[in-house]
Amino acid sequence: MNSQQMDADWLVFQPNPSKPKFVLPKGTVDAHCHVFGPSAEFPFAPERKYTPCDAGKAQLFALRDFLGVERNVIVQATCHGRDNRAMVDACRAAGERARGIASVGPDVSDGELEAMDEAGVRGVRFNFVMRLVDATPPEVFLAIAERIARLDWHIVVYFEAADLTRLIPFLKRLPTVIVVDHMGRPDVAKGVDHPDFQAFLGLMGEMDNLWSKVTCPERLSVQGPPYDDVVPFARAVVDAYPDRVLWGTDWPHPNMKTHMPDDGMLVDYIPRIAPEPDSQQKLLIDNPMRLYWAR
Ligand code: 0GY
């Protein structure tokens, strides 16, 4: 099969990121990244909402080694729909150095779940961002949640800040650890003290199974690099819940419109949101190891 043509306005990841000044501690996990294809080998799904550039496992592993990352958590990207083959292939190729998060429908078989578990998949992603996916009824997600809980997997949720209030009753019914992508995408222009972001922090206080990725300053920032306006948000989550936060690059940065981040700069952002060695150890190593590498 020929490769699929990327969208005309697609921004390609930076091929030569800067070398970070911050030296990542040994064992660091990039807990949010993706692979796209390559589409000649792993075609993008017919139901996709965007067609990206190719960004396969070889390029991901090269970035991992360049940045000084030890392990990756590869999250199924919506451009591959529920066809998890590219993500699973990358997990298998990385061996113990990668884990995966899948996207599945109600028709997934127990055998398929077990095969993914064996490849290193440890969770599913429930996506509520409608520019990326069509809506899934909550009962469908809840039925999947019950099944994957038996495998000791967890659930990653992706939603916009405006949807949090509506989703709280649903989140409270989920039986596993829940990891929220990108701090629930706060509107950083409103400031860290705004009731919307305080409600998210409050919910983490109420639900001790709720974790947050303190990822994607490049996506949330209004000011742009070096993302000063996002620092207080990530820092607030790290300070309040140091045992339930994860860091990641989000390489290859799907759907960025304003600019493409420098992955080296995203590493240099870490000490700004987790200044102490103790909080860095938890954010970069202890938390992701507990969640993804317990077995
Ligand atoms: C992210 C963000 C985005 C895309 C996806 O799976 C995806 O397509 O996750 C986005 O466009 O905001 O977390 O990578």
Side-chain angles (χ1 to χ4, degrees):
M1 144 110 49
N2 292 326
S3 59
Q4 294 157 303
Q5 191 64 41
M6 69 179 178
D7 293 336
D9 62 348
W10 189 261
L11 293 188
V12 176
F13 59 89
Q14 285 197 21
N16 298 304
S18 66
K19 193 78 183 166
K21 291 176 209 56
F22 176 62
V23 178
L24 288 169
K26 194 170 158 33
T28 289
V29 179
D30 174 350
H32 187 89
C33 55
H34 311 280
V35 286
F36 298 153
S39 63
E41 193 180 354
F42 302 108
F44 302 125
E47 71 272 24
R48 69 190 181 279
K49 306 281 187 196
Y50 62 86
T51 305
C53 61
D54 283 334
K57 61 179 184 278
Q59 288 154 307
L60 174 64
F61 300 160
L63 179 75
R64 174 195 70 191
D65 296 344
F66 176 78
L67 296 177
V69 164
E70 185 127 344
R71 298 178 171 86
N72 294 107
V73 180
I74 306 171
V75 178
Q76 171 74 355
T78 59
C79 55
H80 280 293
R82 290 168 184 164
D83 174 355
N84 292 283
R85 282 176 300 164
M87 179 273 292
V88 165
D89 172 73
C91 287
R92 286 193 189 284
E96 275 307 297
R97 296 186 69 181
R99 293 290 190 250
I101 293 292
S103 180
V104 303
D107 53 342
V108 68
S109 70
D110 289 343
E112 286 169 317
L113 290 175
E114 279 155 26
M116 285 197 277
D117 183 80
E118 187 261 322
V121 173
R122 294 292 180 266
V124 289
R125 193 185 200 198
F126 293 167
N127 201 324
F128 298 91
V129 178
M130 292 300 109
R131 75 183 153 80
L132 294 172
V133 288
D134 293 330
T136 298
E139 314 80 62
V140 171
F141 276 150
L142 288 167
I144 293 169
E146 292 301 331
R147 290 179 64 198
I148 62 97
R150 286 182 228 133
L151 291 164
D152 205 17
W153 288 12
H154 64 270
I155 296 163
V156 173
V157 286
Y158 192 22
F159 56 82
E160 303 279 0
D163 295 321
L164 176 62
T165 308
R166 169 179 76 78
L167 286 173
I168 289 174
F170 170 80
L171 296 176
K172 288 189 172 170
R173 291 178 69 187
L174 295 177
T176 66
V177 164
I178 306 164
V179 181
V180 177
D181 277 338
H182 323 326
M183 304 181 285
R185 294 189 59 107
D187 178 350
V188 301
K190 289 179 172 169
V192 75
D193 295 326
H194 190 276
D196 289 355
F197 188 64
Q198 291 303 314
F200 176 67
L201 287 176
L203 192 65
M204 286 193 74
E206 218 183 295
M207 295 177 64
D208 58 14
N209 62 331
L210 199 62
W211 292 43
S212 177
K213 291 181 196 161
V214 288
T215 36
C216 283
E218 73 284 3
R219 218 174 264 293
L220 303 175
S221 179
V222 178
Q223 294 172 358
Y227 315 126
D228 295 352
D229 51 345
V230 192
V231 170
F233 290 80
R235 179 117 195 227
V237 186
V238 171
D239 283 351
Y241 307 106
D243 297 311
R244 287 187 270 145
V245 283
L246 300 169
W247 170 84
T249 56
D250 194 30
W251 186 91
H253 312 291
N255 302 308
M256 286 298 295
K257 298 292 178 217
T258 51
H259 70 292
M260 188 44 63
D262 168 3
D263 294 284
M265 180 188 280
L266 293 176
V267 170
D268 286 331
Y269 173 80
I270 294 170
R272 305 179 67 200
I273 64 170
E276 307 301 329
D278 183 49
S279 56
Q280 292 166 6
Q281 172 75 25
K282 289 178 173 180
L283 173 66
L284 301 172
I285 303 164
D286 295 350
N287 298 343
M289 290 306 287
R290 198 162 78 248
L291 193 56
Y292 289 94
W293 274 270
R295 63 186 167 87

